[in-house]
Amino acid sequence: MKERWQYCPFCGRELSKMMDEGRERIFCVPEKRFIYDNPVPASTAVVFDDKGRILLVLRNREPGSGRWALPGGFIEIGESPAAAAARELEEETGVRGCDPVLVDVIHEESEFYGTSLVITGYRFEKSSGAPVAGDDADDAAFFELDALPPLAFRSHELLIRKSLRQGS
Ligand SMILES: [Zn+2]
């Protein structure tokens, strides 16, 4: 995994490495503090229409540009995972979701971001509005489950499978 931190985000000085509890961690020598490089949380929305089709977006940004995925994105500071899923859903598809139910929490290594992601999936029991692609999507549409296009991320496949097992 490539190194994400070269300079201390607190004091701006060059970082070193130090062993801590059996792990090599990033360390700021002048400040005598460890810099914890933790996984990055993202949240996704699972929405079915009344025909049991699932809502996907055609991504126009990397990672996964040109491929279909669940609506989703990174959780903002101060935002709950469920609120992030609802926000991304509306931004990317124009669909409003209510009554979020947690499907699963999945860990995925991201080569693109050079770090680990933790991806929460929420199924919205109620939704309104017809899908219209937002700025960071080229298309948004409902798909029959037996005719899904190849998805951009393994984590999204797992979340869809898990939500089907949970029923609706
Ligand atoms: Zn520092």
Side-chain angles (χ1 to χ4, degrees):
M1 192 158 288
K2 72 185 176 211
E3 203 61 74
R4 292 205 305 148
W5 300 100
Q6 192 178 353
Y7 299 101
C8 176
F10 300 100
C11 74
R13 284 172 286 195
E14 197 156 351
L15 291 166
S16 304
K17 297 276 177 66
M18 189 178 281
M19 289 305 288
D20 174 43
E21 295 170 341
R23 247 175 210 275
E24 189 182 67
R25 293 193 192 279
I26 306 162
F27 189 71
C28 177
V29 175
E31 293 190 286
K32 298 186 180 61
R33 75 198 284 173
F34 286 102
I35 308 298
Y36 293 98
D37 191 14
N38 302 116
V40 178
S43 198
T44 60
V46 177
V47 172
F48 294 100
D49 71 1
D50 51 13
K51 298 184 185 105
R53 300 177 305 175
I54 190 162
L55 181 58
L56 299 176
V57 294
L58 182 59
R59 296 175 60 87
N60 64 9
R61 291 180 193 176
E62 294 296 347
S65 183
R67 283 185 287 168
W68 293 88
L70 292 173
F74 290 115
I75 301 172
E76 301 287 355
I77 299 288
E79 186 178 49
S80 76
R87 174 181 53 75
E88 292 285 352
L89 171 65
E90 193 168 355
E91 283 175 6
E92 294 183 353
T93 71
V95 172
R96 292 179 70 98
C98 321
D99 300 348
V101 176
L102 182 65
V103 176
D104 206 351
V105 180
I106 290 178
H107 156 251
E108 187 167 60
E109 294 302 315
S110 170
E111 209 170 300
F112 182 81
Y113 290 109
T115 189
S116 304
L117 305 180
V118 172
I119 299 144
T120 52
Y122 286 90
R123 189 179 70 246
F124 289 90
E125 301 286 283
K126 289 185 194 140
S127 64
S128 59
V132 177
D135 285 346
D136 45 6
D138 274 343
D139 199 0
F142 284 100
F143 283 83
E144 303 282 351
L145 289 165
D146 57 6
L148 289 185
L151 297 185
F153 309 111
R154 182 194 59 96
S155 55
H156 292 195
E157 289 171 18
L158 294 173
L159 287 168
I160 292 170
R161 250 184 271 153
K162 185 81 183 271
S163 68
L164 291 174
R165 282 206 300 276
Q166 289 171 341
S168 52

